[in-house]
Amino acid sequence: MVSYKEIGLVNTKEMFAKAVKGGYAVPAFNFNNMEQLQAIVQAAAEQKSPVILQVSKGARNYANATLLRYMAEGAVEYAKELGWEHPQICLHLDHGDSFELCKSCVDMGFSSVMIDGSALPYDENVALTKKVVEYAHQFDVTVEAELGVLAGVEDEVCAAESHYTRPEEVIDFTSKTGCDSLAISIGTSHGAYKFTPEQCTRDPKTGRLVPPPLAFDILHEIEEKLPGFPIVLHGSSSVPQEYVDIINEHGGKLPDAVGIPEEQLREASKSAVCKINIDSDSRLAMTAAVRRVFDEKPGEFDPRKYLGPARDEMKKLYEHKIVEVLGSNGKAL
């Protein structure tokens, strides 16, 4: 058993309480390799932003659970080296699909876990979530749950269509399960293709897709029923057109990739939404930088020469999200 407190991590309880009160959202950035982790820590340390390091089941398997535990400890020490005296870093399991996986993460030093039973019948989702909560809370580990289904693909998570969260269920669900935060479905989705062309309109000047608006009416109804309760948005990458263009210009193929407009995420950040998940944008930034190097310097084979620029591009992206979208800069002094 490894306690996250020994590693120097924090859970989400205090950071979410401050975010709800302060009208901003904590960034939850997924990472799959060292360069992503470096970029996240650099951006959070420089901007003094609380940050959630997110790891999916697939990413954990890719990294190795033991190695990941030491990467998290290294992230905390690296943040201190960068001048962040008291880092507010959480290590979070994204989309845990079983009690056994969540238990393993708690036992290996995660400070927060998500149990995603959203595809199950309601009563089964309640029972599974409650079981995870009862185990995790013994060790002061916070638990995120989900009601409603997001469309799209992210690692093992795949759904053809979304189902909005039913506001009438949220009080019963949170009271029965004891979860610490709730991921809801209001129109965000996983991946770089968040909407089909049929769901969008096209800008007559540019020809680019314009996505439909998020269902803020559902969010506000949930806020009324659960005042002050931490709400989470998954699938909230904006799919920056600049990265899509760079990828396509340098041999990639991402036609009609479209994400969530940042102005809508800014609006959500000022509500009870206190955690916003961003994964695809980082992947796009990294891929764009790597493709550009490979295209412009086809003889390059030193990984540092293409992963270094990728790391720099991701750091720039993370800082933009922290400062310009979520408003979490300066909140973890």
Side-chain angles (χ1 to χ4, degrees):
M1 180 77 192
V2 177
S3 169
Y4 71 86
K5 295 176 182 179
E6 297 171 7
I7 299 173
L9 299 167
V10 300
N11 66 21
T12 60
K13 196 168 294 181
E14 185 178 350
M15 60 171 66
F16 283 178
K18 288 182 177 179
V20 171
K21 187 176 180 180
Y24 62 91
V26 177
F29 297 129
N30 288 67
F31 77 98
N32 300 276
N33 56 39
M34 183 186 74
E35 286 77 18
Q36 283 180 308
L37 181 59
Q38 288 175 316
I40 293 169
V41 174
Q42 288 170 4
E46 288 188 20
Q47 295 301 327
K48 297 298 185 289
S49 168
V51 71
I52 297 169
L53 303 174
Q54 286 204 155
V55 182
S56 66
K57 176 183 176 181
R60 186 171 183 250
N61 290 338
Y62 179 80
N64 173 268
T66 301
L67 188 56
L68 183 61
R69 167 251 193 275
Y70 287 101
M71 289 178 77
E73 185 172 1
V76 173
E77 296 306 314
Y78 182 36
K80 292 178 182 177
E81 283 184 14
L82 293 172
W84 197 6
E85 189 175 352
H86 301 291
Q88 293 179 24
I89 299 175
C90 168
L91 180 64
H92 175 76
L93 171 66
D94 191 23
H95 288 289
D97 60 1
S98 69
F99 170 78
E100 291 74 22
L101 174 60
C102 290
K103 179 182 182 300
S104 175
C105 288
V106 171
D107 293 348
M108 286 293 286
F110 278 63
S111 56
S112 179
V113 295
M114 178 197 184
I115 180 63
D116 182 1
S118 59
L120 298 172
Y122 180 80
D123 289 342
E124 291 181 30
N125 187 2
V126 168
L128 176 59
T129 302
K130 183 180 179 182
K131 185 177 181 182
V132 171
V133 167
E134 288 176 345
Y135 184 78
H137 280 186
Q138 296 178 79
F139 307 100
D140 202 26
V141 172
T142 42
V143 178
E144 176 185 328
E146 183 165 344
L147 265 180
V149 178
L150 272 68
V153 178
E154 180 184 47
D155 286 352
E156 297 82 7
V157 182
C158 179
E161 58 183 56
S162 64
H163 301 283
Y164 284 168
T165 302
R166 297 187 181 97
E168 63 271 19
E169 293 179 342
V170 297
I171 296 176
D172 181 70
F173 184 86
T174 54
S175 60
K176 283 182 177 177
T177 62
C179 64
D180 300 288
S181 59
L182 184 67
I184 63 171
S185 174
I186 59 168
T188 57
S189 61
H190 295 126
Y193 297 90
K194 298 190 181 299
F195 306 98
T196 65
E198 293 74 25
Q199 292 174 300
C200 303
T201 57
R202 283 197 183 272
D203 186 317
K205 294 182 179 179
T206 65
R208 289 174 173 167
L209 296 177
V210 179
L214 298 179
F216 280 101
D217 55 331
I218 293 177
L219 171 60
H220 296 325
E221 193 173 345
I222 291 171
E223 283 184 297
E224 290 177 5
K225 292 182 180 297
L226 293 175
F229 194 85
I231 301 299
V232 177
L233 286 188
H234 284 241
S236 297
S237 284
S238 299
V239 188
Q241 193 62 48
E242 63 178 296
Y243 293 139
V244 174
D245 289 345
I246 291 171
I247 290 170
N248 290 338
E249 288 167 7
H250 294 283
K253 193 175 182 181
L254 289 175
D256 289 335
V258 62
I260 310 299
E262 288 189 340
E263 58 267 23
Q264 295 193 41
L265 297 177
R266 288 191 195 97
E267 182 179 345
S269 298
K270 296 173 183 176
S271 68
V273 173
C274 59
K275 172 177 179 273
I276 291 184
N277 292 12
I278 297 169
D279 185 6
S280 295
D281 285 353
S282 172
R283 298 183 183 199
L284 291 167
M286 184 172 207
T287 301
V290 170
R291 276 195 173 276
R292 181 159 49 194
V293 172
F294 282 166
D295 191 23
E296 295 176 353
K297 301 177 181 179
E300 187 57 73
F301 65 95
D302 182 345
R304 294 168 296 183
K305 296 295 178 62
Y306 52 86
L307 293 178
R311 180 181 59 197
D312 295 342
E313 197 63 52
M314 287 187 291
K315 182 194 171 190
K316 186 173 78 172
L317 168 75
Y318 295 138
E319 289 194 298
H320 169 75
K321 297 292 184 181
I322 287 169
V323 177
E324 303 295 338
V325 182
L326 308 182
S328 61
N329 52 307
K331 303 301 192 296
L333 296 173

